[in-house]
Amino acid sequence: MSAYLTAPLPRRRSIGVDVGGVVVGGASPVVVQSMTNTDTADIDATVAQVAALHKAGSEIVRITVDRDESAAAVPKIRERLERLGLNVPLVGDFHYIGHKLLADHPACAEALAKYRINPGNVGFKEKKDRQFAAIVETAIRYGKPVRIGVNWGSLDQALLTRLMDENQADGAPLTADEVTREAIVQSALLSAAMAEEIGLARSRIILSAKVSRVQDLISVYVALAGRSDHALHLGLTEAGMGSKGIVASSAAIGILLQQGIGDTIRISLTPEPNGDRTREVQVAQELLQTMGFRQFVPVVAACPGCGRTTSTVFQELAQTIQEDLRRNMPVWKDKYPGVEELKVAVMGCIVNGPGESKHADIGISLPGTGEMPSAPVYVDGQKAATLRGPNIAADFEKMVSDYIEARFGGQGRQAAE
C-alpha cells in the first residue's frame, strides 16, 4: 500500500533576497505581494491603496512607474507611508523607458525597494541590452534587488523567433507551445546571467515567468526551478475575475507550492467594478494558510449546510465571526501573540457539530431542524456551556472574545510561562 502524502515536498533551496527588509527565498516563509491599480502620480490615491493592501497583509507592494510624473511621485509616496508608520517595501514596475526614468529621477531610484524589469520590453533590437544594463547598473549603484519578470504576453520576440527557427531546422520535434515555454524559461535565465555579468549579485535577483494558463504555468516553473537557484515569484497572469481567477490561481500556485517551488506569490485578480483590491491579498493568505505553509488569521470551520440546517443562524454567525477575526487581526497580532493559531468551529446541527467543535479550540453546535433549541459550546475539547434563547449568537461571540483574552492575553501568556 502506498504511503499517504501528508506534507509538501521539501522546499526548493533558493538564494534569499532582501527586499526592503523582507527576505524572499532562502529559509524564509513564502511572502505575499500585491500591486496597486491607481495612477502612481495620484499620490493620495496610491498611498491609500498601498496602506490598505499592507494592512490586509501584503508584505511587498508593487506600483507602476511609467512616466515622469509617476517617478516623481514615488519618493513622496514613500515619505507619506513612513509618516503613517508603514515601512512596506515598494517595487517599481518598469517597462519601455525604465532606464530613463531611473536616471532622471534618482530620488525614485533610492525610494524603491526593488525594480521589476520585463526583458521582453525593456528595449528593442540594438537598444535592448544597453537599456537593460542601464537599469541593472542603477540597481547596483543604489543597492537594490531586481525581479526579472518574463511575461508571455510580451515575450522577447527575437528569442522566440530564433528558437522556433532552430526547432524547425531540427524537424520540429517540439510543438509551438513547447517552444514558447522554453523561450520563457530561457528569457529569464539569460537575463539573469546578463545581470550577473554586469555585476549584480546573485543574491539580488528574483525571477518570474508568468503565463495565463494553469498547465503552462506549472510546466514553466518546474523547468525554471530545475535550472536555477534564484528565488522565484509565482503568479498566474491575467487570471481573471471572481471565482475563475481564484480557482485558476490557486490550482496553479498550489500545485507548485506542494512541489516545494515558490518563494513569493501574487494572486492577480481582476477586481469587480469598484471592487476591493485587497481581495487578492486575502486569497493569497488563504491559499498559504489552507495548505499549511503559513498562519495569518484564526481558522473558522463551518459546515456547508443541508436539509437538517434550514436556519441561517449558523451561516450568519460563521460569517460574523470570520469577518470580526480578520478585521481585528492588525491589532490582535500585537496584543495577542499567537492568536492566528486559533481554531473556531460554527456548526449547524448535531450530526458533525459536537465532534467538529471538540477538534477546535472553541466551537458551537447550533440546533438544526427538529433539534432541541440549545447549542452546546466546547472549549479545548470539553463541553463548557449550553446556550439557549434568542441571543445564542451574541453569547457565543462573547465567549470567543473571552477565550482569546484568556489564552492569548497577558494573563494567559504568564500562566503558560
Side-chain angles (χ1 to χ4, degrees), residues 91-411:
V91 177
D93 195 53
F94 293 101
H95 299 276
Y96 305 111
I97 59 169
H99 63 291
K100 184 176 186 302
L101 293 174
L102 286 168
D104 293 347
H105 299 273
C108 170
E110 179 62 41
L112 292 169
K114 183 177 70 174
Y115 310 152
R116 189 269 179 146
I117 310 174
N118 183 339
N121 59 29
V122 70
F124 302 100
K125 297 183 179 179
E126 73 281 354
K127 295 181 180 179
K128 178 186 174 183
D129 289 352
R130 185 170 68 251
Q131 293 176 183
F132 177 88
I135 298 178
V136 171
E137 287 165 356
T138 301
I140 295 169
R141 185 178 310 120
Y142 290 98
K144 308 294 182 179
V146 165
R147 171 156 75 92
I148 296 172
V150 182
N151 189 304
W152 75 343
S154 50
L155 184 57
D156 182 343
Q157 291 303 300
L159 173 61
L160 179 59
T161 299
R162 177 172 64 78
L163 292 180
M164 287 288 188
D165 290 344
E166 290 175 357
N167 185 59
Q168 190 66 33
D170 290 340
L174 302 177
T175 66
D177 281 349
E178 289 172 328
V179 176
T180 299
R181 290 194 291 268
E182 175 62 18
I184 292 169
V185 173
Q186 285 200 26
S187 179
L189 296 176
L190 291 170
S191 298
M194 185 183 300
E196 289 188 62
E197 288 175 7
I198 294 168
L200 187 64
R202 202 169 182 80
S203 60
R204 292 192 181 277
I205 299 174
I206 297 173
L207 301 183
S208 69
K210 294 190 176 182
V211 298
S212 59
R213 295 199 302 241
V214 170
Q215 296 296 345
D216 286 319
L217 191 83
I218 295 167
S219 176
V220 164
Y221 272 98
V222 167
L224 192 57
R227 292 154 66 177
S228 167
D229 60 357
H230 288 296
L232 298 180
H233 168 83
L234 304 185
L236 188 74
T237 190
E238 288 90 42
M241 183 181 289
S243 61
K244 185 269 180 186
I246 293 171
V247 170
S249 292
S250 298
I253 295 173
I255 289 171
L256 289 167
L257 291 172
Q258 187 71 11
Q259 294 185 46
I261 298 170
D263 301 294
T264 177
I265 67 171
R266 181 194 172 201
I267 305 293
S268 301
L269 294 180
T270 302
E272 306 286 345
N274 301 313
D276 189 349
R277 188 70 167 179
T278 63
R279 179 67 173 140
E280 67 175 51
V281 179
Q282 182 180 344
V283 173
Q285 288 187 328
E286 288 175 352
L287 174 61
L288 291 173
Q289 181 158 319
T290 55
M291 293 190 71
F293 293 110
R294 293 188 65 179
Q295 196 74 24
F296 297 98
V297 295
V299 173
V300 178
C303 69
C306 65
R308 300 184 187 92
T309 56
T310 54
S311 169
T312 61
V313 174
F314 85 95
Q315 300 165 342
E316 294 163 355
L317 180 57
Q319 182 180 36
T320 298
I321 294 291
Q322 190 159 282
E323 289 176 349
D324 284 349
L325 292 172
R326 184 168 284 279
R327 183 175 60 253
N328 287 314
M329 276 307 294
V331 174
W332 284 357
K333 280 190 300 185
D334 295 327
K335 187 177 181 181
Y336 301 121
V339 69
E340 64 274 8
E341 302 291 338
L342 177 71
K343 295 177 177 60
V344 182
V346 180
M347 304 299 290
C349 78
I350 201 170
V351 174
N352 293 314
E356 190 71 41
S357 297
K358 290 176 184 178
H359 289 306
D361 295 313
I362 179 168
I364 187 170
S365 180
L366 291 159
T369 305
E371 293 178 9
M372 293 292 291
S374 62
V377 176
Y378 295 81
V379 176
D380 295 329
Q382 302 297 319
K383 186 175 178 180
T386 299
L387 303 180
R388 295 183 174 86
N391 298 317
I392 287 178
D395 292 343
F396 181 66
E397 287 179 48
K398 185 176 187 307
M399 290 187 71
V400 172
S401 179
D402 291 345
Y403 180 87
I404 290 171
E405 176 60 37
R407 178 175 170 184
F408 301 103
Q411 292 182 351

